[in-house]
Structure formats: structure tokens, C-alpha cells
């Protein structure tokens, strides 16, 4: 299992547009990808689950990946979030 911790830096929090883009990106991988926030978990490949977490600006969250392509998945998601400039 690979896991990374972040702080969201987006004035609108994890908006529906960001959530949709992130879910689409996560669906490129075979691994189970979980979004952890405030003691809850959501499958990062499910838009409804991700949006239900309602992650706000300046809030910590984590992403974990488990599976045959977990290292590629976590590194790619990490780079994706950095390119969007929404994490600290």
C-alpha cells in the first residue's frame, strides 16, 4: 500500500469540477484508490463517494493506493494534484 498526505489549497474546496477530474484520472489505474478525510473514506473512482466527503480549503486529506499498479497510481495522482496547484 502506498499513501500520501496533503492539505487542500483550493478556495472552493474540492469542487464538483475538481472531483470529477480527479475521479476520471483515478479510473486510469487498476489499483483500489481511497480518499481519506476527517475519519471517513471514499473510493476515489466514485464521484458520489468523493463529493460526499465535502473537503474544504486548508483541510488535510490523504490518498492511498493498493494493487498491482499502486506505485504508478500514487505517483501519477501526486503529480496530477501538483499540476493543478491545489495541494500544499
Amino acid at each position: 500500500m502506498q499513501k500520501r498526505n496533503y492539505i487542500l489549497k483550493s478556495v472552493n474546496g474540492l469542487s464538483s469540477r475538481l472531483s470529477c477530474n480527479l475521479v476520471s484520472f483515478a479510473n486510469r489505474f487498476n489499483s483500489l484508490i481511497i480518499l481519506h478525510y476527517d475519519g471517513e473514506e471514499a473510493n476515489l473512482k466514485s464521484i458520489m463517494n468523493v463529493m460526499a466527503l465535502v473537503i474544504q480549503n486548508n483541510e488535510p486529506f490523504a490518498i492511498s493506493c493498493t494493487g498491482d499498479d499502486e506505485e504508478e497510481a500514487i505517483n501519477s495522482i501526486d503529480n496530477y494534484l501538483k499540476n493543478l496547484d491545489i495541494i500544499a
Side-chain angles (χ1 to χ4, degrees), residues 2-83:
Q2 302 281 324
K3 188 173 184 178
R4 304 265 172 92
N5 296 307
Y6 303 101
I7 295 176
L8 186 65
K9 294 293 182 188
S10 173
V11 174
N12 297 321
L14 193 59
S15 66
S16 57
R17 173 179 262 168
L18 284 174
S19 296
C20 186
N21 291 340
L22 190 54
V23 167
S24 293
F25 191 82
N27 274 297
R28 298 177 183 184
F29 304 98
N30 294 324
S31 291
L32 174 64
I33 305 173
I34 302 295
L35 180 62
H36 307 268
Y37 173 67
D38 198 28
E40 296 187 39
E41 298 180 347
N43 184 337
L44 194 55
K45 296 180 180 182
S46 167
I47 188 65
M48 296 304 288
N49 288 344
V50 171
M51 290 184 66
L53 291 182
V54 191
I55 302 175
Q56 299 297 317
N57 187 34
N58 293 318
E59 291 289 323
F61 69 96
I63 295 176
S64 65
C65 299
T66 305
D68 59 337
D69 61 352
E70 65 186 36
E71 189 170 343
E72 178 187 359
I74 197 72
N75 289 333
S76 295
I77 291 169
D78 186 70
N79 287 332
Y80 183 72
L81 293 171
K82 287 176 181 173
N83 287 337

